[in-house]
Amino acid sequence: MAIELTKKDIAEISAIVQQNVEAELQGNKLKRMQAFGKEDGTIDTNGILAFALAESKLYATMFTTQILNAIYDAQHNRPEKK
């Protein structure tokens, strides 16, 4: 039997997911950024913009996936995966 979540429940889940995603993204951030740099290791304005857009897409994808999974698990009385 599925349970209903309140706005407060979803806000709490969202905050936890946000922290998890941000922590996960910090791990290889420099390596991902270097992919947008030049051969000499520098990164220009276009590279920074491209990196920011790629990071935004990655964050949005990870956040959406994790929050939907967390909400589904919460509604079906499953323990949260860490």
Side-chain angles (χ1 to χ4, degrees), residues 9-72:
D9 295 332
I10 293 172
E12 289 174 6
I13 292 170
S14 177
I16 292 167
V17 168
Q18 179 181 354
Q19 289 174 347
N20 291 343
V21 170
E22 287 175 1
E24 194 172 333
L25 287 176
Q26 285 301 317
N28 295 323
K29 188 175 185 175
L30 182 58
K31 186 176 181 179
R32 290 191 310 274
M33 184 180 276
Q34 288 171 339
F36 292 93
K38 298 177 184 178
E39 288 182 15
D40 64 0
T42 61
I43 186 167
D44 62 7
T45 305
N46 290 334
I48 292 171
L49 181 56
F51 172 72
L53 291 172
E55 284 291 289
S56 298
K57 180 180 177 185
L58 180 59
Y59 178 89
T61 300
M62 290 174 68
F63 182 87
T64 302
T65 301
Q66 289 186 24
I67 196 154
L68 290 174
N69 283 332
I71 290 170
Y72 179 85

